[in-house]
Amino acid sequence: MAGIPRPTTVSTKQQRIAELAKQAPSLSFTTLAHHIDVQWLHEAYQRTRRDGATGVDGQTAADYAVNLEANLQSLLDRAKSGTYRAPPVRRVHIPKESGKETRPIGIPTFEDKVLQRAVVMVLGPLYEQDFQDCSYGQVLEAVRQRLKECRLELHPEKTKIVYCQDTDRKGQHEHITFDFLGYTFRPRRAKNRWGKFFV
């Protein structure tokens, strides 16, 4: 029927975030949390790997799904009110290929994985706009392609690119804008809920 608004989907919201980020590349986005609602968390739940190891609480994805709507609503309420605290990460030692040494990995709880995925779903469209038009598009795939040209490949479970300049860190950072594999990373200033700026 004409005149009845259709519900906004997660992908529509992500597209709108991407459009705003592209239109205003130096704008600080301080109000993205309102995009995360129960529908958003449900989509994040769908995108979260369900066969992974359990965190410190021992809760599996199947356990979480038993009361899915109540669990997602509780997670949303805690995240929005600022009372959510990420549980400790379970440390596991995985044997290295040599068999003589191990490497530690951290395994978050399933609920924490869902919230992390929801945050990535908000921030991904925002920061993807910061890459140059000449890039390959999706960040991870682009890095994978660049490394392939060098006859290298990324480990599928260890690939993360993180850069954060925090004003609490000691020492000065000489370069705020930097290049990595042909991408130019530029700062976006943002303010946390306590009014403190970070880059």
Side-chain angles (χ1 to χ4, degrees):
M1 293 177 88
I4 298 176
R6 296 165 67 181
T8 307
T9 65
V10 170
S11 61
T12 304
K13 289 180 183 179
Q14 287 179 309
Q15 186 177 13
R16 183 68 185 133
I17 294 168
E19 288 169 1
L20 288 171
K22 194 169 202 160
Q23 290 169 3
S26 62
L27 180 68
S28 294
F29 288 81
T30 57
T31 59
L32 292 173
H34 69 277
H35 290 291
I36 299 176
D37 54 16
V38 173
Q39 178 187 10
W40 193 279
L41 286 176
H42 197 276
E43 181 66 26
Y45 165 81
Q46 293 296 330
R47 296 182 187 187
T48 302
R49 193 174 143 200
R50 291 186 188 77
D51 61 349
T54 60
V56 292
D57 62 357
Q59 186 178 47
T60 65
D63 296 337
Y64 196 80
V66 170
N67 292 318
L68 182 61
E69 296 307 317
N71 287 334
L72 293 178
Q73 185 62 55
S74 170
L75 178 59
L76 178 67
D77 293 344
R78 287 178 284 137
K80 294 273 182 154
S81 69
T83 60
Y84 179 81
R85 297 289 177 259
V89 174
R90 184 167 68 99
R91 181 166 296 254
V92 176
H93 290 270
I94 305 294
K96 290 188 175 182
E97 290 178 12
S98 67
K100 296 177 183 176
E101 298 178 68
T102 63
R103 64 178 177 85
I105 63 167
I107 303 171
T109 63
F110 184 77
E111 182 173 68
D112 198 44
K113 291 176 189 177
V114 171
L115 186 57
Q116 288 178 25
R117 174 68 58 195
V119 171
V120 166
M121 289 165 50
V122 171
L123 296 179
L126 172 68
Y127 287 104
E128 283 178 8
Q129 305 313 307
D130 289 341
F131 293 99
Q132 304 297 318
D133 292 337
C134 59
S135 71
Y136 287 92
Q138 296 293 323
V139 177
L140 192 57
E141 184 56 33
V143 170
R144 203 175 266 122
Q145 288 296 326
R146 293 283 174 97
L147 289 175
K148 187 176 180 181
E149 292 169 10
C150 302
R151 295 192 176 121
L152 298 171
E153 73 180 57
L154 296 171
H155 189 285
E157 296 171 9
K158 296 182 186 176
T159 306
K160 302 271 188 267
I161 299 173
V162 178
Y163 176 75
C164 179
Q165 181 184 346
D166 189 340
T167 56
D168 292 336
R169 293 181 191 226
K170 295 194 182 344
Q172 295 298 318
H173 298 279
E174 202 174 307
H175 303 286
I176 293 177
T177 300
F178 67 97
D179 290 331
F180 176 73
L181 294 174
Y183 292 102
T184 300
F185 290 78
R186 293 184 302 265
R188 271 190 192 261
R189 288 192 66 194
K191 195 186 291 186
N192 66 17
R193 69 175 58 200
W194 299 279
K196 187 173 180 183
F197 280 99
F198 63 94
V199 178

